[in-house]
């Protein structure tokens, strides 16, 4: 999988009981090495502004709504909105991202690597001047 895409997970339950969804390594494009979540993001804030050299992510809006703008090394942009807890957004390596969360949103990220600041590309200029051979 090398393109950003939405992945739908099944929902177990009913409107009467409520629902449960599950993500297991066997059903994912990578092995989960880290989980983090963000919350209480003010409406005016745009998060992200970085890309990753190697990290792959599967991101859920477990509540609220989250807007993503993803840009590849060719400058092609794609937009996604997450607002259903059973739908995840797969983000491959090397996508510049800008992320806008509704104030009530909880973003849950399943990640393919533990946290490494060296894996971040935090400059948009550097992102677009990457020499792929240097990665
Ligand atoms: P960052 O990934 O830049 O968040 P966002 O793109 O949502 O704005 O991370 C914000 C800060 O949190 C940064 O100082 C690094 C730190 N951080 C960790 O220490 N461990 C982690 O697993 C993550 C994701 C971030």
């Amino acid at each position: 999988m090398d393109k950003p895409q939405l992945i739908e997970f099944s929902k177990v339950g009913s409107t009467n009981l409520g629902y449960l969804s599950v993500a297991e390594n066997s059903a994912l494009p990578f092995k989960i090495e880290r989980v983090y979540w963000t919350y209480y993001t003010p409406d005016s804030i745009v998060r992200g502004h970085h890309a990753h050299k190697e990290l792959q992510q599967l991101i859920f809006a477990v509540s609220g709504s989250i807007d993503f703008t993803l840009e590849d090394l060719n400058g092609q942009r794609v937009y996604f909105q997450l607002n259903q807890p059973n739908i995840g957004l797969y983000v491959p390596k090397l996508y510049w991202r800008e992320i806008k969360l509704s104030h009530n949103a909880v973003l849950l990220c399943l990640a393919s690597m533990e946290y490494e600041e060296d894996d971040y590309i935090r400059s948009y200029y550097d992102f677009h001047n990457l020499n792929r051979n240097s990665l």
Side-chain angles (χ1 to χ4, degrees):
M1 240 183 236
D2 61 351
K3 296 275 182 230
Q5 55 199 275
L6 297 174
I7 302 179
E8 183 167 353
F9 289 78
S10 56
K11 293 192 288 191
V12 182
S14 66
T15 41
N16 290 340
L17 289 171
Y19 291 95
L20 175 157
S21 292
V22 59
E24 293 176 301
N25 279 324
S26 55
L28 299 184
F30 56 82
K31 184 167 177 286
I32 301 167
E33 294 290 347
R34 175 167 52 116
V35 176
Y36 66 85
W37 50 101
T38 65
Y39 43 92
Y40 303 161
T41 313
D43 276 325
S44 53
I45 293 296
V46 179
R47 300 192 62 124
H49 302 110
H50 64 256
H52 286 280
K53 296 176 192 167
E54 291 298 336
L55 187 74
Q56 303 172 68
Q57 294 160 294
L58 184 61
I59 300 176
F60 295 87
V62 290
S63 83
S65 162
I66 307 176
D67 293 325
F68 291 83
T69 304
L70 301 177
E71 183 175 333
D72 69 14
L73 284 171
N74 299 318
Q76 289 276 11
R77 288 187 184 170
V78 279
Y79 305 93
F80 292 95
Q81 185 174 65
L82 289 178
N83 54 21
Q84 296 180 62
N86 66 315
I87 296 186
L89 174 63
Y90 173 66
V91 184
K93 65 180 182 179
L94 294 174
Y95 275 84
W96 188 264
R97 79 280 315 273
E98 294 184 2
I99 307 169
K100 184 101 180 49
L101 293 86
S102 63
H103 177 65
N104 64 337
V106 179
L107 177 157
L108 176 72
C109 178
L110 312 180
S112 66
M113 293 165 48
E114 292 195 358
Y115 174 74
E116 270 181 38
E117 186 56 36
D118 279 355
D119 187 64
Y120 281 74
I121 305 160
R122 291 197 181 272
S123 150
Y124 189 68
Y125 178 84
D126 290 348
F127 176 64
H128 279 298
N129 284 282
L130 270 185
N131 174 355
R132 284 166 182 273
N133 297 327
S134 71
L135 291 171

